[in-house]
Amino acid sequence: MLFFTLRKDRLPEFLDAVSKHYSLIVPEQKGSKTYTFRQYTEFSKVSLEFIRTIIPPKKFIFPPVEKLFSADKECRIDASYEDAPFSIIFGLHPCDIHGIEILDKAFSYGGRDSFYWRRREKFGFIGLSCLPDKYCLCKSMHTDFIESVYDIFLYTLDDVYMVSVRTALGDDMLRLCPDLFNKPAKEEILEYKERIQIRDSMFTRIMDTTNLADLLTLEYKNDIWEEYSRRCLFCGSCVMVCPTCQCFDVYDSPDVIAGSSLRIRRWDACMRKDYALVTGGHNFRGGRPERFRFRYLHKETGFGEMHGKASCTGCGRCSETCPAGIDMVEVVRRIRE
Ligand code: SF4
Ligand code: SF4
């Protein structure tokens, strides 16, 4: 890993240079308080101060609706997809980069998911540091820093970005305009360390994750699940905005007139009543408390057992989005009481 500095007023030049060589995706303001990742057009539209987008950047790698293949009336299979150019996503915060790492694990478990990886391999990532708001939980989830997946990471200081270059792709991007980058001065290194400490002290939302996976298993029959499931609307919003939820449904869309068919996968949500509905009308998780509890157990216990870490990055999207005001921190605190 190499470190450089980039003057803040030279960032537009860097992004312009990157956009000339790669398809560049950046965070932009969408509504009065909402943000989204979009194709880069001009630097003035790039949001550097956003906390989180509504939908995480997983939408590019694991699209909400995706054609898997089509078959014509002669049963010829077409599994091609719109071959997008190699893209760089700029402005990813540590939690969302952790989210991509979690998706990588999920879509490699028991064999590589070729539909996921054919897109994933066409993305590079430029991370950007951030400051926490009242929903950020990444410190508790140990995802407030990232040392993997990204190609370049920019840590915001007063006048410059401290630039961490992790991969050959990151090095290639720097070489597009090498004059913009300098070796960090001693004062800048000190400022970088101070900034990390200041940011660390700004977290107001803390969740006790000690032995959480075991605790949730032991509290399988706790009345809390019933209580919160009466409040939950089972709208699935918490799942749709989560950077690590990766459940999908696969269905066929036949065209009877043409004699062809399309196989599609689309995001699904374990909170939905028909998620575990199978042929014959049996539902493995039809009850409200079971569905509410499952999401917590899967994130903390199930995924953790398979991959050695929980599948929550503490991004805060679910708590900010929930129309019923259900907050994971509160649920866990109540379970610990
Ligand atoms: S967003 Fe809130 S109300 Fe909707 S399913 Fe999730 S926990 Fe329930
Ligand atoms: S569970 Fe909530 S806080 Fe955790 S990664 Fe998903 S949306 Fe973010």
Side-chain angles (χ1 to χ4, degrees):
M1 204 179 292
L2 296 170
F3 283 92
F4 298 89
T5 56
L6 167 67
R7 269 180 32 205
K8 282 180 168 176
D9 60 355
R10 310 292 302 268
L11 180 62
E13 286 170 70
F14 177 52
L15 291 188
D16 280 339
V18 172
S19 72
K20 287 190 175 79
H21 285 77
Y22 308 95
S23 165
L24 179 62
I25 293 161
V26 295
E28 288 187 3
Q29 190 154 5
K30 189 178 180 194
S32 61
K33 289 183 188 164
T34 55
Y35 299 86
T36 188
F37 283 101
R38 279 195 185 127
Q39 199 68 38
Y40 176 78
T41 50
E42 57 185 87
F43 185 77
S44 63
K45 291 188 175 170
V46 178
S47 173
L48 299 174
E49 307 298 335
F50 80 106
I51 305 284
R52 63 182 71 75
T53 53
I54 302 172
I55 302 293
K58 79 172 180 187
K59 67 181 180 181
F60 296 106
I61 304 166
F62 172 44
V65 179
E66 180 177 28
K67 171 195 152 188
L68 300 184
F69 61 81
S70 60
D72 65 15
K73 61 182 175 186
E74 264 79 47
C75 288
R76 284 182 298 233
I77 303 289
D78 175 9
S80 63
Y81 78 116
E82 63 303 347
D83 198 8
F86 193 92
S87 300
I88 303 293
I89 307 182
F90 165 81
L92 294 173
H93 294 160
C95 59
D96 278 347
I97 303 178
H98 276 282
I100 289 164
E101 187 172 48
I102 286 168
L103 292 182
D104 288 352
K105 287 179 191 291
F107 283 106
S108 303
Y109 188 69
R112 279 163 72 89
D113 181 307
S114 59
F115 298 107
Y116 173 83
W117 281 101
R118 71 184 179 181
R119 291 181 194 276
R120 169 68 177 85
E121 283 166 355
K122 299 189 100 182
F123 281 92
F125 306 108
I126 302 179
L128 180 66
S129 66
C130 49
L131 298 176
D133 73 356
K134 63 180 180 179
Y135 296 109
C136 290
L137 193 58
C138 54
K139 186 176 173 187
S140 299
M141 299 311 298
H142 312 292
T143 51
D144 48 336
F145 280 93
I146 181 78
E147 292 181 339
S148 54
V149 179
Y150 71 83
D151 300 286
I152 292 177
F153 198 98
L154 306 183
Y155 300 90
T156 309
L157 305 185
D158 269 345
D159 301 321
V160 299
Y161 294 104
M162 182 69 79
V163 182
S164 160
V165 182
R166 201 189 70 83
T167 63
L169 172 61
D171 192 50
D172 287 348
M173 285 192 265
L174 247 68
R175 286 172 195 275
L176 295 174
C177 33
D179 295 346
L180 297 182
F181 296 91
N182 299 299
K183 281 313 233 178
K186 197 174 167 191
E187 308 76 56
E188 289 164 337
I189 294 171
L190 288 174
E191 188 191 346
Y192 168 67
K193 288 181 181 171
E194 274 173 27
R195 285 292 185 118
I196 287 174
Q197 283 182 352
I198 292 168
R199 177 177 181 259
D200 197 53
S201 67
M202 289 174 73
F203 284 92
T204 53
R205 201 155 170 263
I206 303 293
M207 183 166 83
D208 181 1
T209 55
T210 316
N211 297 331
L212 185 55
D214 292 338
L215 178 84
L216 292 176
T217 308
L218 290 167
E219 297 295 338
Y220 195 79
K221 296 202 169 157
N222 196 308
D223 292 341
I224 287 289
W225 306 120
E226 167 74 31
E227 180 189 326
Y228 277 94
S229 73
R230 283 199 296 270
R231 216 166 110 190
C232 176
L233 305 171
F234 293 97
C235 61
S237 299
C238 50
V239 176
M240 294 297 137
V241 300
C242 180
T244 68
C245 279
Q246 77 278 160
C247 284
F248 58 82
D249 192 12
V250 175
Y251 65 100
D252 290 330
S253 176
D255 182 335
V256 181
I257 308 291
S260 60
S261 189
L262 201 57
R263 181 159 292 181
I264 291 166
R265 76 174 173 188
R266 68 178 167 201
W267 292 357
D268 203 353
C270 57
M271 289 294 209
R272 291 180 53 243
K273 189 175 181 184
D274 60 359
Y275 176 84
L277 184 66
V278 293
T279 307
H282 183 69
N283 197 326
F284 291 97
R285 219 177 294 121
R288 294 168 67 97
E290 289 79 20
R291 275 182 279 141
F292 187 86
R293 178 181 60 201
F294 176 78
R295 185 160 189 269
Y296 283 76
L297 258 91
H298 176 71
K299 290 230 165 276
E300 297 295 335
T301 312
F303 195 90
E305 280 173 8
M306 279 191 282
H307 300 289
K309 68 188 272 190
S311 68
C312 170
T313 70
C315 72
R317 285 184 176 91
C318 55
S319 303
E320 186 178 29
T321 304
C322 179
I326 294 174
D327 175 16
M328 190 195 309
V329 177
E330 182 193 300
V331 174
V332 169
R333 183 179 50 75
R334 291 282 315 282
I335 283 177
R336 284 192 184 278
E337 280 174 2

